[in-house]
Amino acid sequence: MTDSLEQLRRCHFAVDLGAARTRVYVKGAGLVVDQPSVAAINTKTGALIAVGEFAEKMTGRTPDYIRVVRPVSGGTVVDIEMAQRMLRQLLGDKVRRTLRRKPRLRAAACTPHDADPLAQRAAIETLVGLGARRVELVDTLIAAAVGCGLPVEQPEATMVMVCGAAATQLAVLSLGSIVTAGRVPVGGEAVDHAIVQHLRHQHELMLPSQAVRPLQLALSGNGLTPHGPASTEIHGRDVATGLARSVQVDTAAVRDAIQTLLTAVLDGIGKVLRACPPDLVADLADRGIMMVGGSALLPGLDQMLRQATGMPVHIAERPDVCAVQGLGYMLEGKIEPLILNPLAS
């Protein structure tokens, strides 16, 4: 990682293009963009109407000639042109003018651990379209571990769990590199979808697309644990009549509805640990798992993992911005690489 740190120190800005949110860190200025990865366009003229939070509020509320799109899916750019237009609008004229003054503008970007060459190329082309002459790619797992303060450069095990909107990534790191890693196709969106489907089938209730996260509505208090509230009131639309209706939802039934998804995450943790050297697993018994990503804040998830694995489970101080913060630390030169001092002969 030492060589890559030297290259990253020369970068001027960093981008974390996530399925849920886009974040941009500018060297010397800090985090300048933290907005939903959403854009609204006029299908008749092709004009960009809105981006970020305002565009997200339009979801499900637009006339026929306005389409709300998400140019990023699963951490991968699926529409390069739209991603570039969205980023230009999010950055604003002032920040873009500042970046254009930089000679040989360099950028850094997060990519998922299992990103194929096409996905990596899409991320590079997106930033090249913004004027970057060179783009450095950093594994999201490493960036997130650096951002939450884990000693990734040391010869000791650290385990990070990136809970994203589309997937959950897990890795054991040591000496600045990934020892073992895994990906589970279960994220915050899948959990939300499971709860929405449960309410539809069991209560014939449809939640509005712009409601607060269904999980946080249905699982307040202690969340996924049995100590949470026995029931909670949910407002939505009746499937048959289309009228507004409220129902009392049994939180135990909601827990059962998402248990299968969370079991897949536990299986992923077990698979990563089984592929890890015993010495590193022994380190993890004391240090535990660090949870980052927006979905790490799902109520009760950390307690459930703690009970299932028997390991300490911690949530980063600001789990949603750890990845871009880690890129920022690398850009600012705040990460000191491990220097090997061979024995003198």
Side-chain angles (χ1 to χ4, degrees):
M1 190 175 168
T2 304
D3 295 336
S4 61
L5 282 176
E6 291 298 325
Q7 297 293 336
L8 286 166
R9 287 194 183 101
R10 301 175 187 175
C11 293
H12 301 99
F13 72 104
V15 178
D16 177 18
L17 274 171
R21 299 185 74 87
T22 293
R23 299 177 176 92
V24 181
Y25 186 102
V26 175
K27 192 173 185 177
L31 188 65
V32 297
V33 173
D34 184 2
Q35 294 278 344
S37 304
V38 187
I41 59 172
N42 186 323
T43 56
K44 295 180 179 178
T45 63
L48 192 65
I49 297 174
V51 295
E53 291 181 357
F54 189 41
E56 189 175 48
K57 291 178 181 177
M58 294 182 178
T59 305
R61 293 185 167 93
T62 60
D64 293 340
Y65 67 92
I66 296 179
R67 185 163 59 97
V68 178
V69 297
R70 293 181 177 270
V72 184
S73 177
T76 301
V77 178
V78 294
D79 188 337
I80 296 174
E81 181 185 358
M82 186 54 63
Q84 291 173 349
R85 295 174 67 184
M86 181 185 73
L87 276 171
R88 289 192 194 101
Q89 194 69 24
L90 289 174
L91 285 170
D93 294 336
K94 183 178 179 181
V95 175
R96 282 191 288 131
R97 279 197 300 269
T98 302
L99 293 176
R100 277 200 296 266
R101 297 193 192 104
K102 306 289 185 182
R104 294 192 61 82
L105 183 64
R106 291 172 175 245
C110 284
T111 55
H113 177 68
D114 56 351
D116 56 34
L118 286 176
Q120 294 177 357
R121 187 66 190 172
I124 292 172
E125 289 187 10
T126 299
L127 297 187
V128 167
L130 294 178
R133 301 288 296 275
R134 182 184 176 100
V135 179
E136 303 290 340
L137 298 181
V138 181
D139 196 305
T140 301
L141 290 164
I142 293 179
V146 170
C148 62
L150 293 178
V152 295
E153 290 288 338
Q154 299 303 313
E156 54 191 29
T158 54
M159 187 169 187
V160 64
M161 177 172 154
V162 180
C163 307
T168 299
Q169 302 178 70
L170 310 115
V172 176
L173 299 94
S174 180
L175 291 172
S177 299
I178 293 175
V179 180
T180 58
R183 181 180 184 274
V184 182
V186 173
E189 292 175 354
V191 173
D192 288 353
H193 181 71
I195 295 176
V196 169
Q197 291 301 310
H198 169 76
L199 294 176
R200 183 186 178 96
H201 294 151
Q202 299 298 322
H203 300 278
E204 297 184 348
L205 191 75
M206 292 183 65
L207 289 183
S209 59
Q210 286 301 301
V212 182
R213 289 180 65 90
L215 183 64
Q216 295 178 357
L217 283 172
L219 297 176
S220 55
N222 292 320
L224 304 177
T225 65
H227 305 292
S231 65
T232 187
E233 188 176 21
I234 298 293
H235 307 281
R237 190 185 75 186
D238 189 279
V239 173
T241 65
L243 300 176
R245 184 163 64 90
S246 301
V247 296
Q248 285 290 332
V249 178
D250 183 10
T251 53
V254 176
R255 283 198 301 272
D256 293 339
I258 62 175
Q259 195 63 44
T260 303
L261 296 175
L262 300 180
T263 301
V265 175
L266 293 176
D267 292 342
I269 294 175
K271 185 176 180 181
V272 169
L273 292 176
R274 284 193 295 272
C276 191
D279 289 345
L280 295 182
V281 176
D283 288 346
L284 294 174
D286 296 328
R287 191 165 288 110
I289 304 171
M290 178 65 75
M291 295 174 60
V292 302
S295 298
L297 297 174
L298 294 178
L301 179 58
D302 57 329
Q303 187 173 344
M304 190 206 73
L305 293 177
R306 199 175 293 118
Q307 292 174 351
T309 62
M311 298 168 60
V313 178
H314 314 282
I315 300 178
E317 185 176 351
R318 292 193 63 192
D320 51 338
V321 298
C322 279
V324 72
Q325 199 69 52
L327 288 177
Y329 290 159
M330 297 178 194
L331 264 61
E332 304 283 2
K334 295 181 179 179
I335 306 302
E336 293 296 330
L338 181 67
I339 300 176
L340 300 177
N341 294 318
L343 295 174
S345 56

